[in-house]
Amino acid sequence: MPEWSVPPPRPNPDDDGWDLTKQRFPAGALVEGLVVGVQPFGAFLDLGDGALGLMEMPAFPQSFQRPGSREIDYPELGTPLAGRVVDHHDSNRQIRVVAENPIRDIRTGTRTSDQ
């Protein structure tokens, strides 16, 4: 079982930068980020410029699913992930992300299926 972690605190949610963040990361946009928190329901991604993404567990790429099992190997802190923005959670200022499959390692540019 993984050790759960929470993402670092973000800027005040009452500031007016959220609309700019949604413009910078519109639905359908390809985004890249590093895992900064892991919970049973998914992984939090630092997308840069104070933006926090959430890749929910069902949206993890197949490369994190154990062969012959429905169990998931959660990504470790610092793991680079890429995906597409599907919507924005205004209440907690998170960007919902689903993985591209196969997922691309943003450090090397290779896809998990290439390794």
Side-chain angles (χ1 to χ4, degrees), residues 28-87:
L30 182 62
V31 296
E32 302 174 334
L34 297 178
V35 174
V36 293
V38 179
Q39 289 290 313
F41 52 83
F44 293 98
L45 306 177
D46 180 349
L47 302 176
D49 294 335
L52 184 66
L54 173 61
M55 186 178 289
E56 295 171 343
M57 187 183 68
F60 285 175
Q62 290 179 355
S63 61
F64 285 95
Q65 189 169 4
R66 295 180 189 165
S69 171
R70 290 186 173 195
E71 292 185 37
I72 298 289
D73 287 325
Y74 288 83
E76 295 181 15
L77 295 180
T79 300
L81 297 177
R84 292 214 179 268
V85 173
V86 291
D87 69 16

Side-chain angles (χ1 to χ4, degrees), residues 61-64 80-81 100-105 108-115:
Q62 290 179 355
S63 61
F64 285 95
L81 297 177
E100 293 288 288
N101 204 3
I103 197 155
R104 185 167 53 93
D105 183 324
T108 65
T110 59
R111 292 183 178 265
T112 54
S113 60
D114 296 339
Q115 297 175 358

